[in-house]
Amino acid sequence: MKMTNLYAPTLREVPAEAEVPSHQLMFRAGMIRKAAGGVYSYLPLAWRTLRKIEQIVREEMDAKGGQEIAMPIVQPAEIWQQTGRWDVYGDEMFRLKDRHQRDFCLGPTHEEMVTTLVKQDVRSYRQLPLLVYQIQNKYRDEIRPRFGLMRGREFIMKDLYSFDRDTDGLEISYKKMYDAYSQIFSRCGLEFRPVEADPGAIGGSGTHEFMVIADSGEAAIAYCDGCDFAANVEKAELLSLTSVAEAEKPLEKVATPGQKTINAVAEYLSLSADRLIKSLAFVTEKGPILALVRGDHEVNEIKLANLLNVLQLEMAGEKEIQSLFHSEPGYIGPVGLSNVTIVADASVMNMVNAVCGANAADQHLTNVMPLRDIKPAHVADIRLIREGDPCPRCGAPVKTARGIEVGQVFKLHTKYSQALDATYLDENGQERLMVMGCYGVGVSRTMAAAIEQHHDADGIIWPASIAPYQVVIVPINTKDESQMTMAEQIYRELSAAGVEVVLDDREERSGVKFKDADLIGYPLRITVGPKALKENSVELKVRRTKESLLLPLDGYVEGVIRLLASL
Ligand code: ATP
Ligand code: MG
């Protein structure tokens, strides 16, 4: 490709809304342009990289026996109504009506569609296992589309669905996909971690997310260097912590005028925060909840919602707190409470002579003995893991990091086959439900994640496997005939050897061309100038290391190919 023909309009400025490096750099490198919030056009450089990621995904899916299909993006409401997800999906679903006022949606995912498809044709155990996948646009009307391609409303996903005879079969399919995902993200040149995750709205049980480690990641993960524990913090289980050993004292009410926060009360009473009980009121569709965690801990709302099996869980407002606790926020507490469901974190129940709100303005209770003074409906692990907490497996202090979820594997079991009546006949002619799994890779998000992990102040640094082009040739002076002759020759020879090359034939200053080369992030740059001509060699610069090297013209093609394989 000649740069004068390439549709890659590079820019120096970025729109203010581009907060993260991948968004800024894709915009500046002329890779994407916005059409609407979370909806983008992909220009040639982006599209080439996306196709490479897709190809890696495709090869790994095929290697595990996956068969590529293409299902409709436009999906009828009926199949979603059968599983109950027409309502559950809520505002995130893009809905539309046809001319006859029939309801449809743009597919946010395809469990309903694929189950409806497969059940028509699979009748016998002999046809199982079956693994089908597709790579296509998905549509989700995200509350906060942001970070460019990381959280789009239209984005590219690979989704594979496995159908097995039984859970043993599902375990095998799941393992295949888990391994395939590790291969995919390794081949894309990414540093990643599979972590245990919360099943969320898709349902089922047993799931891992594949996280690309990056500071801009929206997810937080906890992991242990002492063992193989790694989990999304939403899911990470915790051991209950023990408290100080101290003799039990009688409950007492103390004045705490104006002290409304854990830190203020702790300071006022000269105690550390772990001696206080944090009381948080929530409203749910099943009524009000008072959640208790230790003062230095945070509530994990996902664990709490899962425990109570509620869909809505919102912090109570001032009005609700007044009517439930006859007190103002900052002074509420669990002692003597009977009209609100109390959920205590397991560590709270181990506390001794603790402090909590007294349900009266400017007052707290001290010497609270949770086992004696609090009547929780549930005692469970409801807190958020934090750096340094003991690992739930081995007890070593855990570490935390930020991650971008690029893929997720799920054991669905019979959730969808049951709702949609997807059955087969086993060896004995018995009708049985198919056992399913689903497995997604965010293809467009993976491209963004690669940039988040691989960039510097000058631009993108593509791993060679997914670079839009692998090499750029920059003649220093396009008016110099001998330089252009050499540049064209290298261009022809590398292209003939299957290397993807751009020849920057623009009549621009070399500084401008070097800047664009760094911004676009080709793994290798070949400079053709007086030095190369004089030494009769190919002058290379490695984008990642900024290292320069000269290869003799004789045999340089193999040298370039070998170098690319290491990048
Ligand atoms: P998230 O928690 O980030 O919203 P999710 O868990 O809802 O994602 P899945 O249903 O597991 O997403 O979808 C499979 C993959 O699709 C995700 O792992 C992610 O890589 C990608 N993906 C999901 N939502 C988006 C989005 N809005 N924009 C880009 N990629 C997305
Ligand atoms: Mg997910």
Side-chain angles (χ1 to χ4, degrees):
M1 173 58 71
K2 303 279 173 75
M3 196 69 184
T4 45
N5 295 329
L6 181 63
Y7 178 27
T10 56
L11 299 166
R12 297 285 160 246
E13 302 298 320
V14 285
E17 66 184 42
E19 297 169 63
V20 293
S22 62
H23 191 184
Q24 295 166 353
L25 291 172
M26 276 192 269
F27 186 80
R28 282 186 48 206
M31 295 176 66
I32 58 167
R33 292 292 180 257
K34 180 173 159 180
V39 181
Y40 293 88
S41 294
Y42 306 114
L43 276 50
L45 293 177
W47 193 240
R48 288 179 71 91
T49 289
L50 288 168
R51 286 199 330 235
K52 289 194 176 179
I53 297 172
E54 285 180 12
Q55 190 51 30
I56 290 173
V57 169
R58 197 170 268 129
E59 285 169 15
E60 296 302 329
M61 293 298 103
D62 291 349
K64 299 294 183 198
Q67 301 180 60
E68 189 166 0
I69 60 172
M71 290 180 280
I73 285 170
V74 176
Q75 304 189 12
E78 289 76 24
I79 56 177
W80 290 83
Q81 283 154 352
Q82 282 178 54
T83 61
R85 286 211 295 178
W86 184 254
D87 296 324
V88 173
Y89 231 97
D91 290 339
E92 210 173 286
M93 186 182 259
F94 272 107
R95 296 163 202 260
L96 59 155
K97 284 188 191 293
D98 71 4
R99 64 175 75 207
H100 307 293
Q101 300 306 306
R102 282 189 290 248
D103 287 313
F104 289 84
C105 69
L106 299 181
T109 178
H110 278 67
E111 284 80 15
E112 282 77 0
M113 184 61 87
V114 75
T115 310
T116 311
L117 171 75
V118 166
K119 78 169 194 182
Q120 297 169 26
D121 298 303
V122 173
R123 296 269 156 72
S124 155
Y125 70 96
R126 288 191 200 86
Q127 294 165 281
L128 299 175
L130 179 64
L131 280 69
V132 288
Y133 74 96
Q134 56 176 358
I135 303 176
Q136 64 164 205
N137 278 346
K138 291 281 185 279
Y139 294 84
R140 294 184 187 176
D141 197 357
E142 301 271 358
I143 297 186
R144 286 215 292 163
R146 57 183 189 153
F147 298 163
L149 300 191
M150 295 245 263
R151 187 166 292 286
R153 295 196 295 165
E154 175 183 87
F155 57 96
I156 305 173
M157 196 204 286
K158 181 285 301 179
D159 42 330
L160 183 142
Y161 304 88
S162 65
F163 295 83
D164 277 284
R165 300 175 191 180
D166 49 29
T167 38
D168 287 349
L170 170 60
E171 291 300 333
I172 294 168
S173 296
Y174 189 83
K175 172 80 168 49
K176 280 186 182 170
M177 286 300 119
Y178 185 99
D179 293 344
Y181 277 32
S182 300
Q183 275 295 111
I184 289 168
F185 299 119
S186 301
R187 286 182 64 188
C188 290
L190 297 169
E191 189 205 332
F192 67 94
R193 244 177 206 280
V195 303
E196 294 167 30
D198 179 75
I202 286 201
S205 74
T207 171
H208 287 85
E209 289 165 341
F210 284 74
M211 295 286 187
V212 164
I213 309 302
D215 293 338
S216 57
E218 290 186 279
I221 64 172
Y223 62 95
C224 177
D225 282 337
C227 69
D228 62 3
F229 168 76
N232 189 316
V233 297
E234 289 177 347
K235 151 86 184 179
E237 324 127 48
L238 280 161
L239 307 169
S240 63
L241 301 179
T242 51
S243 258
V244 288
E246 213 177 76
E248 171 175 341
K249 295 184 205 159
L251 199 62
E252 216 176 297
K253 203 176 260 185
V254 295
T256 47
Q259 314 300 322
K260 293 186 174 187
T261 64
I262 290 287
N263 287 341
V265 176
E267 198 172 312
Y268 188 79
L269 298 175
S270 302
L271 290 170
S272 53
D274 60 0
R275 302 300 302 268
L276 274 62
I277 298 171
K278 191 184 278 181
S279 306
L280 295 167
F282 292 91
V283 284
T284 77
E285 74 267 23
K286 292 185 179 168
I289 299 293
L290 186 68
L292 308 178
V293 289
R294 225 168 65 173
D296 57 331
H297 292 161
E298 302 296 331
V299 168
N300 180 330
E301 295 189 14
I302 302 221
K303 283 185 189 171
L304 187 58
N306 286 347
L307 174 77
L308 300 167
N309 197 14
V310 293
L311 290 173
Q312 285 153 357
L313 182 79
E314 274 163 37
M315 293 284 280
E318 201 166 337
K319 259 205 202 127
E320 285 141 345
I321 287 183
Q322 279 290 357
S323 77
L324 290 168
F325 300 91
H326 309 291
S327 167
E328 53 183 284
Y331 302 99
I332 64 173
V335 177
L337 202 66
S338 56
N339 56 335
V340 177
T341 305
I342 298 173
V343 185
D345 182 65
S347 296
V348 166
M349 301 314 285
N350 297 338
M351 291 170 78
V352 175
N353 299 328
V355 173
C356 68
N359 291 326
D362 298 332
Q363 300 210 315
H364 277 77
L365 296 173
T366 62
N367 302 334
V368 177
M369 295 297 294
L371 288 173
R372 177 191 68 193
D373 304 321
I374 305 176
K375 306 278 171 286
H378 307 271
V379 176
D381 164 23
I382 57 161
R383 77 175 172 98
L384 208 53
I385 199 165
R386 52 174 192 179
E387 179 106 18
D389 270 326
C391 167
R393 304 281 153 75
C394 75
V398 298
K399 294 188 173 159
T400 56
R402 304 220 55 94
I404 302 167
E405 183 202 318
V406 286
Q408 185 158 17
V409 290
F410 263 100
K411 291 177 197 165
L412 296 170
H413 294 276
T414 53
K415 180 176 160 114
Y416 294 92
S417 47
Q418 179 137 39
L420 295 161
D421 197 23
T423 60
Y424 69 96
L425 296 178
D426 71 9
E427 297 90 325
N428 306 316
Q430 285 280 340
E431 193 170 11
R432 296 177 59 174
L433 291 172
M434 296 182 207
V435 180
M436 293 174 56
C438 71
Y439 316 85
V441 170
V443 173
S444 43
R445 188 185 279 180
T446 298
M447 174 165 74
I451 298 173
E452 292 297 327
Q453 213 171 56
H454 300 286
H455 70 272
D456 63 13
D458 299 322
I460 303 168
I461 306 173
W462 287 112
S465 60
I466 58 170
Y469 288 93
Q470 298 156 331
V471 176
V472 62
I473 304 169
V474 183
I476 301 235
N477 179 0
T478 39
K479 299 223 174 77
D480 180 319
E481 226 171 90
S482 45
Q483 283 185 26
M484 280 312 281
T485 308
M486 185 178 190
E488 297 266 8
Q489 183 195 333
I490 297 173
Y491 176 68
R492 275 194 312 273
E493 290 171 351
L494 285 179
S495 301
V499 179
E500 295 161 310
V501 201
V502 168
L503 172 59
D504 196 344
D505 55 343
R506 293 176 298 169
E507 285 183 17
E508 287 277 3
R509 283 181 298 114
S510 55
V512 170
K513 296 202 264 191
F514 290 160
K515 267 202 155 56
D516 276 349
D518 283 350
L519 174 61
I520 291 171
Y522 310 94
L524 281 181
R525 188 184 87 199
I526 294 176
T527 312
V528 181
K531 190 172 174 189
L533 283 168
K534 188 163 141 263
E535 312 236 346
N536 218 19
S537 43
V538 174
E539 188 185 346
L540 287 167
K541 187 160 186 208
V542 178
R543 175 69 180 88
R544 185 176 299 281
T545 58
K546 298 192 161 72
E547 171 194 8
S548 294
L549 57 157
L550 282 179
L551 291 183
L553 260 182
D554 194 23
Y556 79 94
V557 174
E558 287 69 37
V560 166
I561 291 174
R562 215 172 312 120
L563 199 54
L564 282 172
S566 71
L567 294 174

